[in-house]
Structure formats: structure tokens, C-alpha cells
Amino acid sequence: MSLVEGLRNGDKRAVAKLISLIEDGDAAATAAIREIYSMTGKAHVVGVSGPPGTGKSTLIFRLAQEFRKRGKKVGIIAVDPTSPISGGALLGDRVRMGDLASDEGVFIRSMGTRGRLGGVSAATSDAINVLDAYGSDIIFVETAGAGQTDVEVSDLVHTTVVVVMPGVGDEVQALKAGLFEVAHIFVVNKADLGDADRVASDLSIMLELGEQGDWTPPVLTAVALRGEAEKEVADFLEEHLTHLRESGRMEEKKRRRAEKELMIAISESVLERSLALSSGRSFMSFVDEVLEKRMSPREAAIRLLEESHSGD
Amino acid sequence: MKKIRVLIAKPGLDGHDRGAKVVARALRDAGMEVIYTGIQKTPEDIVEAAIQEDVDAVGLSILSGAHMTLFPRVTKLLRKRGMGDVLVVGGGIIPPKDALELKKAGVAEVFGPGTPLNTIVDFIEKNVGKKPDVAG
Amino acid sequence: MSDEATLKDIERARREWEKRTLARSLEASPERSGKFMTTSSQEVGSLYTPSDNADLEYMEDLGFPGEYPFTRGVHATMYRGRLWTMRQFAGHGSAEDTNARYRYLLEHGETGLSVAFDMPTLYGFSTDDREAEGEFGICGVACASLEDMEILFEGIPVDQVSTSMTINGPAAVLWAMYIAMAENRGMGSEVLRGTIQNDILKEYQAQKEWIFPPEPHMRLVVDTIEYASEHLPLWNPISISGYHIREAGSTAVQELAFTLSNGFEYVKWCVERGLEVDSFAPRLSFFFNAHSDLFEEVAKYRAARRIWAREMKERFAARNPRSWWMRFHTQTAGVSLTAQQPENNIVRVAIQALAAVLGGTQSLHTNSMDEAWAVPTERAVRIALRTQQIIAHESGVTSTADPLGGSYYLEWMTDHMEEEAYRYFDRIEELGGVIPAIGKGFYQREIARSAYRYQREIERKERVIVGVNAHITEEPEVVEYLRIDREAERRQLKRLKRVREKRDSRKVRGALEGLRKAAEGEDNLMPPILECARAYATLGETVETLKEVFGLYEEPLVY
């Protein structure tokens, strides 16, 4: 039985192996994605972002339980950074997910960023496609870190949830890296650990000061550990999906997603190509040119590319 | 590029996760992707995670002494779910005689206290993907 | 301690010495290592002189044994009066097995009992709960109902022997069973002497044997402290423990700082409950680790006593000198035991025990050489106990109080650790206090980092562990070890079944219902928990009732 057949039959092993092939950049993955791509586009894809330690995984765990109660099949992709030095990664998000994994209707996969250029990788995008084709009704994509990756993921998802927690007073400042602008729902988590109301009102003030669109992001406080507020967050997730559909924004979103996927695919191809070039013979001679200051790096790059094209 | 993926899991009740976490970090530093499950996982949870994460190896850590009950349950369940090719190693307070029995039950190696981290890393690097899939 | 002019002379002379004698010596033969450091990776200088103790004020910082700030010990006579309590942590299998071991230990000169419970008991499960599978009796004794407790202490004069129980999450329940056991033997609770560990904060930080979220757990702790202050005046209702923090991989300073700051947190909660600080503070006790780095350990104990005394007096305004005392139990470092060449562990334990005694401990457990493999055999336990007796009677260190006091190195180290501890207190404060810092994974991260650093140092051979990364022998280790009798588990399950059948089930239901109602309210939970114990409600049933009200806890993950 092929992996794609397995996926169609709901075999979790096949789904897992398919994602591994994607992560490893295996040629078989390209073929498999081509086969399943037409089956995608049904799931509600939700990004969950925010600084490390804010309780994103626990929140997702609670939300997944809630959506299971609502009869939905849940997929979870938890992305953690790969160490740039060793290339290894510690993926610990499952710890928060309890015994959820043993639920037939839940699939959880941890992924390392594997240090690809351009932030969010083609692997994340294709893993979403696999879980979508597998029949997940809702897919959570958790990204840890305050920055570029989270913002990039927002182009791949329909709804972005941003999680913060009360701390030492700079919670809102910490979101300035663009995350604030892409959020559809804010959750002030671990509200039992301090001044959650202050953080929530800071967020609300910032939102009022910003541009007003047709969706005003709600600011919710939660104690995910105790299972408080997940119903409310789940309701808002469904409301946002309805809003996207009714306002016609969904079409826009889908277009953005297609653009983004294509851009990622292009940059991965270009990256592969440049890696191939860098191991080629003439690369070293251009390095010498740059080293001797006879050419600027940019100039050398253009010449190198021209040369390689004429050689095609 | 293929990366080695390892699940580090703590079956049983004990909360002594110092060893599991140190090993997890060492494997990460050796370039592997390490999925950590946290403490008090049932053999069923561990095997389910191994499937969804599609790991090449499972490392089990236990200090409570319940290894003779719980380790063989994990290897048996893995075989039953068609994951017999996954390398299983164990660590903790495990007397030599028990270690011998565990090896018979499908645990590839047992690492006691004081095992150098490199020994564990090397063992996993050398032995993943070598076991024939004895799916049952 | 010396006057300024003398200090200047010493400093000048020291610089001279460095240039002349030391430099020449280094030229002839360099030092063995580029860096000398303690077990906790604290760098150590080549020599300490009075100038390293320049800020030390004898009366203010050291004083006299039995007097504030107790740096030199809590008793005026120290071990000239009474030796420490030799208390070996023991328990395995069923209550019968462990009862036999206790009688053996008392016959061999042990002076106090210390109960190790098995994993299910530690997590509040009865032996017949599903979660208990495979764990019965391995790490300690199973105690699922009052009947187990009665068998455990059969024939042991609990009105004379003091009993320490290592139990945290379900501490109140096991303590209630102990009190009920004594009642059934016709003793009033006021004669009972002993300790329950009952330190839940370090569970979240290091050992992970929690059940409920921090707030209800803290309520239970305060309930037991309050109950002890009213009904069991000789009982220590808590043993604030650095031991497990250290075992989880912390440094000595982290052990010191986290333990003390947890201690202050308990005091704060009790005071907020409305308890008078002097009504409970004298019964707060502590529990520390002892590693092999002798001076670092001794300094840790001395710094701990000094900080505790100062904070209790100045911050919490305790007036009874007994509230300023820090009394502590010590156990040698389990993590320092090696599976390789296990006999070497006897020597490690001896050094560690010596550190505890030089540091003025009130009670001591020495580990057995075979514990890196399994629970110890009787022979190994006897050697461990003999080690304490040799230190007590042959080493001479017990003849005078604080024999190392005044050592330039030790006093420098004591001061240094104290400073570092205060730095940690500030960090914890910045994070919003102990419980918020737990929620943010602060302790867990600090400890995991230290553990990893330590292991890397061994791997890189920056740190030598004999038999592990140096002086290795190739022959396989042959150790005898104790195997748990599976028959005992069947016996235990049968007994539990019988208990369930013969008890008055209406009384059990009533007691559990009473506990539930009390838990929903704000009253002290000890009386209803005692009712459950008396009715032979099982541990699992009692804890389950509380879980339904309090909920469960999940930890933040850090490596």
C-alpha cells in the first residue's frame, strides 16, 4: 500500500512517514504532495504564536479537547527551532498534550525548523497539506519564538492566535516584531501568575490606537492549565472562520496562501540551485575574484548565474 | 537530508527526569531531533507518539524499578503496531540481571548510571535503521 | 576580623609571596589543572588568607553555638551533648517486610526511623489502582490504608522512637494514618515525635511528585502546620528540602537559595493564615544534601543557618530564639553513587557524612554502596550505618563545636554562598515570587542547566569521577541486590480487598463526603482527613476526593 493510499485510509503511520519524507526533502514527497494537493483546502488552519513559555501547547491541548467535543478531527503541528550549531532540536510540545495523542481523532507532529533560509519552511506548509488531506477539520500550527517565523506562518493560516502572559511589564513591547499586526485573537494566558488585566488593557489600548479593520481582535484572559477559557477561544475561532467566509476574506486568504506557497517553493528551488552552484567548479574562481576585490559579490553572482544558464 | 529522530520517554510514576533531560540535550547537540514526552507516560501513549512522530529510536528512562513491567510492554506494542524496526534503548537504575532479560524482550541496550553520553549517542547513531521490521 | 593595618601587611606579604615563592614553584612545576573548581563549578583560588575574610565580624556573623545567628551550630554543646540522630531511610515491599527491616535497624543502634514509601503511595494511589501497576514496593513500602500503617509499626514503641516520613503530595493523609494508628494503640497524638516531609514547593521545582495545583497544596501544608502547632507539639510538620533540588542537578548555591526561599514562602503563607510566627516556626525543619566537596558543603550548612536566623528575626519578626534555629536532616548524595566499582561508594559516603557532621547536622542518613543498582541489601545498609558510628566515635570531629570555623577558606566560602543566595532571592522576587517563578519554569530551567553543565564537565574530563571517567576497571560489576518479592504484592492486594470488605462502608462514604465539603470550604482539612483514616478509607479514595475538588497540576516544560 502506498503512503498516499494509507493516508486516504486514515493510517496514522502513513501520515507520519509522509511528513518525514517531506522534512527530509525526499523526491518521493514531491510526487505524493502532487497526488494529494487537490484534496486540500478543507481544514480551518489556525496559527498559535507568541513568546516562549506562554503556555501555547497547553492552550492548544485544551482547544483540541474542546474541538473533539464539538466532533471535529484535529491536527497539530508544533514547530520548534533547530539549533544552528548542531542541527539538532529538542521538541517538547507533546509534554503539554497529555494523552491526546492516543485519541483516534487527533494527530500531533513535532517539527524542527531545520535552519532553512526564509523562515517558515516548505516542510511546514506541506505538513499542513498532509494533515488537511488526511481529513483534519482544524489544524493548529504552533510556532515558538517572537519573530519572523510566526509572522510568516500567518500567511499560511486562516486565523492567528497570539498568546502572551503577564510578566515583568514589557509583554506588549515584545510583540512589536510584527506579530501584533497579524493577530486575530489575543490570549493573555497564565492569568493566575500576575497582572493579566493590565496586560489585557494594554493590548486593548494598542488595538484601539491601530488601524480598524472589519474584524476587531478580541483580547481574552485564560488559565489554560486549569482549563479555563478554551470554550471562549474556540467560539471566537469559529466566529472568525464564519467572518472570513461571509466577508469574502476567505478568497483573499486562499490567494495569499497560494502566493506564499508558490514563493516558498520558488525560494526553496532557488536555494537548492544556489547550493548546487556553490559546489561547482567556477564558484571558487569567483570567490577569488571577490577576495582580490576585482569584483563586487553582487557582480560576481550575476556573472555566475549567467554562466550557469548558458551552460544549461 | 535525513535526520535521526528520537523519542525520549519516561514510563512509570517516578518524576526523576534529570537523566532523560540530560540525554535529550546530548542527542540534540549531536544533531538529532529529540521529541521529549515528559514524565508518567503509559506504554500506549509512548507507542502512539513514536508512530505519529515517525521516530527512528525510542529511549526509555525509569528510576522507580518498574522497568521489568513497562519496558517489555513498549517493545511488544511497537511490534504489534508495525514499528518493530524502531530501535529501543533504556536507562535508569537497572540491575545487570534485569538488563539481560530486557535485552531478550527487545530492548537493544540498557545504559546504567555513569554511562558517558557519547556512548549513548554513538550507539544510537550506529544502530538506527538496522533492525529488520518484524511486524506482527 | 583583623584590623586594617594588619590586613594591609598581609596583603602586601601575599603579593610578595606570589612573586617570589609561588611564581618560582609554578615555574618548576605548573598546577595540575588550569582551573580548580568545586562540585558546583565554583572556581577556587590557590590560597585564602585573612584578607579574604576582611568583612567578617565575629560576633555578628559567627557568634557562639546555640546563639544567634547560629552559624556555628544550634546547640551550645553540639555533639558533646548528644550525637545526631542516625536515621536510615528504609522501606520496601509490604508493610510486614519493612516492619522487619525497622526492627533490624533499631537492634543495630539506629536511633530514629525513616519511612520510604513506594511510588504509588507517593502519588496518592492505592496498590490496587491502575496507575500503580509494576511499581508496588520497589522504591519503598506500600501504605494504602490504616491497616498497612498498623502493621508497619507493629511492636515499635512509637511514643519513644521518632519517625520521619518522606511523603509530600499526600502527606496529610499518611500523617493522619500515623496518628490514627497511635490512637488505636491508646496513645494521644501529643506524645508523637517525628517529621513529615510535606514540602510541596520543591516537588514542582525538582522532584515532581505533586498531585494538585500549588495553591490547594499550599493550603494543605498550612493546614498540617496549624494542626501540629495545636495537637502535636513534638512533631515537625514540614521538612523543607534542598535534597531533591540538588539530586535533580542543582549547584550547592541553588540548593541553599531555593530551599531557604521556599522556607520563607511557607512562613509567609502561615502568617497570612493568621498564625503567630513563634507558634509554628520552631517546628519547621530542613533537609539538605551532602556531596563530596567537603568545604563547599560545610559552608552551605553554615550559610543556611545564618541566613535563616537573620531573616526569621529581622524580616518575620520572630521573637522566640527557637524560631531562628535551623535544624536539619542530611542525606548523602544519591546521585554521586556510581554503578561502577560500587565499593568506592563507601568512601564517598564517608566523606559526605563527615561534611554533614562538620556542618552541624541534627540527623543523618548515609546511602548504601549498592543504591546505584537497586534498593540496598541489609549488609550494605549496615556498612552505611557503621560509617556514621565511626565518624561519631573514632574521628574526633565531634569533640568540639564547628571545628572548621575560622578557616579562611571556609569563611570565605560561607560568605560567598550567602551572597549568591541573596542574589537568587532577588531574582525570584523579580519573577513575582516562588509560585509564579515555578509557573514560569525558572527553577526547572536553572536546575536543568546546572545538571547538563556538570555532565559535560565529566564528559570532557574537566571533572574526574573515579571509576567512571578515570581509573576504570573492565571487569563486570557483581553486586547482590534486593529483589522485591512478587508474593508480597499479592498479599498486599488481598489485604486491601479484605480491608474494603470488613470496614463500615457507610462510615467511609460519610467521611469522604465530609472531606469533600470541607475541601470546598476553608476549614482546616486535617480533622476530616483524620476521620477518613479512622474509617479505613484508602489512600487512593481520600486523595481522589481531594482531586475532584482541587484538580490536577501540569508542569511547564524546560530542559
Side-chain angles (χ1 to χ4, degrees), chain A residues 53 58 61-62 90-93 95-96 165-168 190 192-193 225-226, chain C residues 213 215 430-432 435-437 439-441 445 552-557 559:
Chain A
T58 308
F61 167 58
R62 297 289 182 191
L90 267 179
L91 312 172
D93 296 308
V95 176
R96 301 280 125 268
M165 66 183 272
V168 283
K190 304 196 180 180
D192 54 331
L193 294 188
L225 266 180
R226 291 199 205 123
Chain C
E215 292 80 6
E430 278 165 26
L431 290 167
I435 292 175
K440 288 166 188 166
R445 196 171 299 116
L552 297 172
Y553 176 72
E554 287 171 63
E555 64 167 337
L557 177 73
Y559 296 98

Short mmCIF file of all heavy atoms in Angstrom, two decimals, chain A residues 53 58 61-62 90-93 95-96 165-168 190 192-193 225-226, chain C residues 213 215 430-432 435-437 439-441 445 552-557 559:
data_model
loop_
_atom_site.label_atom_id
_atom_site.label_comp_id
_atom_site.label_asym_id
_atom_site.label_seq_id
_atom_site.Cartn_x
_atom_site.Cartn_y
_atom_site.Cartn_z
N GLY A 53 7.26 29.95 26.47
CA GLY A 53 6.88 29.85 27.88
C GLY A 53 5.52 30.42 28.21
O GLY A 53 5.14 30.51 29.36
N THR A 58 -0.23 24.05 26.00
CA THR A 58 -1.33 23.70 26.89
C THR A 58 -2.64 24.26 26.35
O THR A 58 -3.68 23.60 26.39
CB THR A 58 -1.07 24.23 28.30
OG1 THR A 58 0.22 23.78 28.71
CG2 THR A 58 -2.10 23.72 29.28
N PHE A 61 -3.70 22.10 23.57
CA PHE A 61 -4.22 20.86 24.15
C PHE A 61 -5.69 21.03 24.56
O PHE A 61 -6.55 20.23 24.23
CB PHE A 61 -3.34 20.47 25.35
CG PHE A 61 -3.90 19.40 26.24
CD1 PHE A 61 -4.23 18.15 25.74
CD2 PHE A 61 -4.08 19.64 27.60
CE1 PHE A 61 -4.73 17.16 26.57
CE2 PHE A 61 -4.59 18.66 28.43
CZ PHE A 61 -4.92 17.41 27.92
N ARG A 62 -5.95 22.13 25.29
CA ARG A 62 -7.32 22.37 25.76
C ARG A 62 -8.26 22.63 24.59
O ARG A 62 -9.40 22.16 24.58
CB ARG A 62 -7.34 23.58 26.70
CG ARG A 62 -6.54 23.39 27.97
CD ARG A 62 -7.21 22.40 28.88
NE ARG A 62 -6.47 22.25 30.12
CZ ARG A 62 -6.69 21.32 31.02
NH1 ARG A 62 -7.64 20.44 30.80
NH2 ARG A 62 -5.98 21.25 32.11
N LEU A 90 15.32 20.08 20.16
CA LEU A 90 14.56 19.49 21.27
C LEU A 90 13.11 19.86 21.06
O LEU A 90 12.74 21.03 21.09
CB LEU A 90 15.02 20.09 22.60
CG LEU A 90 16.12 19.36 23.35
CD1 LEU A 90 16.46 20.11 24.61
CD2 LEU A 90 15.68 17.95 23.70
N LEU A 91 12.27 18.87 20.84
CA LEU A 91 10.87 19.13 20.54
C LEU A 91 10.05 18.63 21.72
O LEU A 91 9.88 17.43 21.89
CB LEU A 91 10.50 18.42 19.24
CG LEU A 91 11.49 18.65 18.09
CD1 LEU A 91 11.16 17.75 16.91
CD2 LEU A 91 11.52 20.10 17.66
N GLY A 92 9.58 19.57 22.53
CA GLY A 92 8.96 19.15 23.78
C GLY A 92 7.49 19.45 23.90
O GLY A 92 6.91 19.34 24.98
N ASP A 93 6.88 19.86 22.81
CA ASP A 93 5.49 20.32 22.93
C ASP A 93 4.50 19.21 23.27
O ASP A 93 3.43 19.47 23.79
CB ASP A 93 5.07 21.03 21.65
CG ASP A 93 5.89 22.29 21.43
OD1 ASP A 93 5.96 23.10 22.36
OD2 ASP A 93 6.49 22.43 20.36
N VAL A 95 4.70 17.17 25.57
CA VAL A 95 4.55 17.05 27.02
C VAL A 95 3.24 17.67 27.47
O VAL A 95 2.56 17.16 28.35
CB VAL A 95 5.73 17.74 27.72
CG1 VAL A 95 5.54 17.71 29.23
CG2 VAL A 95 7.04 17.08 27.34
N ARG A 96 2.91 18.80 26.84
CA ARG A 96 1.71 19.54 27.23
C ARG A 96 0.43 18.91 26.72
O ARG A 96 -0.65 19.35 27.02
CB ARG A 96 1.76 20.97 26.67
CG ARG A 96 2.92 21.78 27.09
CD ARG A 96 2.68 22.35 28.46
NE ARG A 96 3.77 21.98 29.30
CZ ARG A 96 3.78 20.91 30.03
NH1 ARG A 96 2.76 20.11 30.07
NH2 ARG A 96 4.81 20.62 30.75
N MET A 165 1.75 36.31 28.20
CA MET A 165 1.46 36.08 29.62
C MET A 165 1.97 37.26 30.43
O MET A 165 2.85 37.99 30.00
CB MET A 165 2.13 34.79 30.10
CG MET A 165 3.65 34.85 30.09
SD MET A 165 4.41 33.30 30.58
CE MET A 165 4.47 33.50 32.34
N PRO A 166 1.38 37.46 31.62
CA PRO A 166 1.87 38.55 32.45
C PRO A 166 3.29 38.25 32.89
O PRO A 166 3.63 37.11 33.17
CB PRO A 166 0.93 38.55 33.65
CG PRO A 166 0.02 37.41 33.52
CD PRO A 166 0.30 36.70 32.26
N GLY A 167 4.11 39.27 32.91
CA GLY A 167 5.48 39.02 33.30
C GLY A 167 6.05 40.22 33.98
O GLY A 167 5.57 40.63 35.04
N VAL A 168 7.05 40.84 33.35
CA VAL A 168 7.70 41.96 34.01
C VAL A 168 7.34 43.30 33.39
O VAL A 168 8.01 44.29 33.61
CB VAL A 168 9.24 41.76 34.03
CG1 VAL A 168 9.60 40.75 35.09
CG2 VAL A 168 9.74 41.31 32.67
N LYS A 190 -1.99 32.21 31.50
CA LYS A 190 -1.40 32.17 32.84
C LYS A 190 -1.84 33.39 33.66
O LYS A 190 -1.04 34.04 34.33
CB LYS A 190 0.13 32.10 32.77
CG LYS A 190 0.63 30.91 31.94
CD LYS A 190 2.08 30.62 32.20
CE LYS A 190 2.54 29.43 31.35
NZ LYS A 190 3.94 29.09 31.54
N ASP A 192 -3.25 33.54 36.21
CA ASP A 192 -3.09 33.38 37.65
C ASP A 192 -1.71 33.84 38.12
O ASP A 192 -1.47 33.96 39.31
CB ASP A 192 -3.31 31.92 38.05
CG ASP A 192 -2.44 30.96 37.27
OD1 ASP A 192 -2.09 31.28 36.10
OD2 ASP A 192 -2.09 29.90 37.81
N LEU A 193 -0.80 34.06 37.20
CA LEU A 193 0.57 34.39 37.60
C LEU A 193 0.82 35.88 37.74
O LEU A 193 1.94 36.30 37.91
CB LEU A 193 1.58 33.81 36.60
CG LEU A 193 1.66 32.29 36.55
CD1 LEU A 193 2.82 31.86 35.68
CD2 LEU A 193 1.82 31.70 37.95
N LEU A 225 -3.90 26.01 32.06
CA LEU A 225 -3.59 24.88 32.93
C LEU A 225 -4.85 24.34 33.61
O LEU A 225 -5.01 23.16 33.81
CB LEU A 225 -2.62 25.31 34.02
CG LEU A 225 -1.14 25.09 33.75
CD1 LEU A 225 -0.33 25.56 34.92
CD2 LEU A 225 -0.85 23.63 33.44
N ARG A 226 -5.71 25.25 34.00
CA ARG A 226 -6.91 24.84 34.72
C ARG A 226 -8.09 24.60 33.79
O ARG A 226 -9.19 24.33 34.23
CB ARG A 226 -7.33 25.93 35.71
CG ARG A 226 -6.37 26.08 36.85
CD ARG A 226 -7.06 26.80 37.99
NE ARG A 226 -6.07 27.45 38.80
CZ ARG A 226 -6.04 28.74 39.07
NH1 ARG A 226 -6.97 29.53 38.60
NH2 ARG A 226 -5.07 29.26 39.81
N PRO C 213 -2.69 21.45 42.01
CA PRO C 213 -2.02 22.72 41.71
C PRO C 213 -1.43 23.34 42.99
O PRO C 213 -1.85 22.98 44.10
CB PRO C 213 -3.13 23.59 41.13
CG PRO C 213 -4.19 22.64 40.68
CD PRO C 213 -4.11 21.48 41.63
N GLU C 215 -1.71 26.14 44.75
CA GLU C 215 -2.47 26.82 45.81
C GLU C 215 -3.16 25.87 46.78
O GLU C 215 -2.99 26.00 47.99
CB GLU C 215 -3.47 27.83 45.22
CG GLU C 215 -2.82 29.03 44.55
CD GLU C 215 -2.33 28.74 43.14
OE1 GLU C 215 -2.59 27.62 42.64
OE2 GLU C 215 -1.69 29.61 42.54
N GLU C 430 11.81 39.21 41.64
CA GLU C 430 11.54 39.87 40.35
C GLU C 430 10.53 39.09 39.51
O GLU C 430 9.77 39.67 38.73
CB GLU C 430 12.83 39.97 39.52
CG GLU C 430 13.72 41.13 39.88
CD GLU C 430 15.12 40.96 39.30
OE1 GLU C 430 15.27 40.27 38.28
OE2 GLU C 430 16.06 41.52 39.89
N LEU C 431 10.56 37.77 39.66
CA LEU C 431 9.64 36.94 38.87
C LEU C 431 8.25 36.89 39.48
O LEU C 431 7.36 36.20 38.98
CB LEU C 431 10.21 35.52 38.74
CG LEU C 431 11.45 35.41 37.85
CD1 LEU C 431 12.13 34.06 38.03
CD2 LEU C 431 11.07 35.61 36.39
N GLY C 432 8.08 37.58 40.60
CA GLY C 432 6.75 37.66 41.21
C GLY C 432 6.59 36.75 42.41
O GLY C 432 5.49 36.61 42.93
N ILE C 435 5.75 30.91 43.63
CA ILE C 435 4.80 30.16 42.79
C ILE C 435 4.78 30.68 41.35
O ILE C 435 4.84 29.89 40.41
CB ILE C 435 3.41 30.11 43.46
CG1 ILE C 435 3.53 29.24 44.73
CG2 ILE C 435 2.35 29.54 42.53
CD1 ILE C 435 2.29 29.16 45.57
N PRO C 436 4.75 32.01 41.14
CA PRO C 436 4.89 32.47 39.76
C PRO C 436 6.19 32.01 39.10
O PRO C 436 6.21 31.65 37.92
CB PRO C 436 4.85 34.00 39.89
CG PRO C 436 4.05 34.23 41.12
CD PRO C 436 4.41 33.11 42.05
N ALA C 437 7.29 31.97 39.86
CA ALA C 437 8.55 31.52 39.28
C ALA C 437 8.48 30.05 38.87
O ALA C 437 9.07 29.64 37.88
CB ALA C 437 9.71 31.74 40.26
N GLY C 439 5.67 28.63 37.87
CA GLY C 439 4.84 28.67 36.66
C GLY C 439 5.62 29.08 35.44
O GLY C 439 5.29 28.70 34.32
N LYS C 440 6.65 29.88 35.66
CA LYS C 440 7.45 30.34 34.53
C LYS C 440 8.63 29.41 34.25
O LYS C 440 9.45 29.69 33.38
CB LYS C 440 7.96 31.76 34.82
CG LYS C 440 6.84 32.79 34.74
CD LYS C 440 7.24 34.13 35.33
CE LYS C 440 5.99 35.03 35.37
NZ LYS C 440 6.18 36.21 36.22
N GLY C 441 8.71 28.32 35.00
CA GLY C 441 9.76 27.34 34.73
C GLY C 441 11.15 27.77 35.18
O GLY C 441 12.15 27.21 34.74
N ARG C 445 14.48 25.38 34.88
CA ARG C 445 15.50 25.76 33.90
C ARG C 445 16.87 25.87 34.57
O ARG C 445 17.86 25.35 34.06
CB ARG C 445 15.11 27.09 33.25
CG ARG C 445 15.86 27.38 31.98
CD ARG C 445 15.28 28.60 31.27
NE ARG C 445 13.90 28.42 30.89
CZ ARG C 445 12.88 29.14 31.38
NH1 ARG C 445 13.11 30.11 32.25
NH2 ARG C 445 11.65 28.91 31.00
N LEU C 552 -5.91 18.89 39.03
CA LEU C 552 -4.56 18.34 38.90
C LEU C 552 -3.61 19.43 38.42
O LEU C 552 -4.02 20.49 38.00
CB LEU C 552 -4.55 17.19 37.89
CG LEU C 552 -5.40 15.98 38.28
CD1 LEU C 552 -5.47 14.99 37.13
CD2 LEU C 552 -4.83 15.31 39.53
N TYR C 553 -2.32 19.14 38.49
CA TYR C 553 -1.32 20.12 38.07
C TYR C 553 -0.55 19.61 36.87
O TYR C 553 -0.26 18.43 36.75
CB TYR C 553 -0.33 20.37 39.22
CG TYR C 553 0.80 21.31 38.85
CD1 TYR C 553 0.55 22.67 38.69
CD2 TYR C 553 2.09 20.84 38.65
CE1 TYR C 553 1.58 23.54 38.35
CE2 TYR C 553 3.11 21.71 38.31
CZ TYR C 553 2.86 23.05 38.16
OH TYR C 553 3.87 23.90 37.81
N GLU C 554 -0.23 20.52 35.96
CA GLU C 554 0.68 20.18 34.87
C GLU C 554 1.84 21.14 34.89
O GLU C 554 1.66 22.33 35.12
CB GLU C 554 -0.04 20.33 33.52
CG GLU C 554 -1.05 19.24 33.26
CD GLU C 554 -1.86 19.58 32.03
OE1 GLU C 554 -1.27 19.67 30.95
OE2 GLU C 554 -3.07 19.77 32.17
N GLU C 555 3.02 20.63 34.61
CA GLU C 555 4.21 21.47 34.76
C GLU C 555 4.56 22.20 33.46
O GLU C 555 4.29 21.70 32.38
CB GLU C 555 5.41 20.62 35.18
CG GLU C 555 5.79 19.61 34.14
CD GLU C 555 7.16 18.97 34.38
OE1 GLU C 555 7.99 19.58 35.06
OE2 GLU C 555 7.38 17.88 33.86
N PRO C 556 5.18 23.37 33.60
CA PRO C 556 5.75 23.99 32.41
C PRO C 556 7.01 23.23 32.04
O PRO C 556 7.73 22.76 32.92
CB PRO C 556 6.09 25.41 32.88
CG PRO C 556 6.27 25.30 34.35
CD PRO C 556 5.41 24.16 34.81
N LEU C 557 7.26 23.05 30.77
CA LEU C 557 8.40 22.23 30.37
C LEU C 557 9.64 23.05 30.08
O LEU C 557 9.60 24.01 29.34
CB LEU C 557 8.05 21.45 29.10
CG LEU C 557 9.23 20.63 28.59
CD1 LEU C 557 9.47 19.43 29.47
CD2 LEU C 557 9.04 20.24 27.16
N TYR C 559 14.15 22.41 29.71
CA TYR C 559 15.22 21.41 29.70
C TYR C 559 16.40 21.92 30.52
O TYR C 559 16.76 23.05 30.41
CB TYR C 559 15.70 21.12 28.28
CG TYR C 559 14.64 20.52 27.44
CD1 TYR C 559 13.89 21.29 26.58
CD2 TYR C 559 14.38 19.15 27.52
CE1 TYR C 559 12.91 20.73 25.79
CE2 TYR C 559 13.39 18.59 26.74
CZ TYR C 559 12.67 19.37 25.87
OH TYR C 559 11.70 18.82 25.10
#
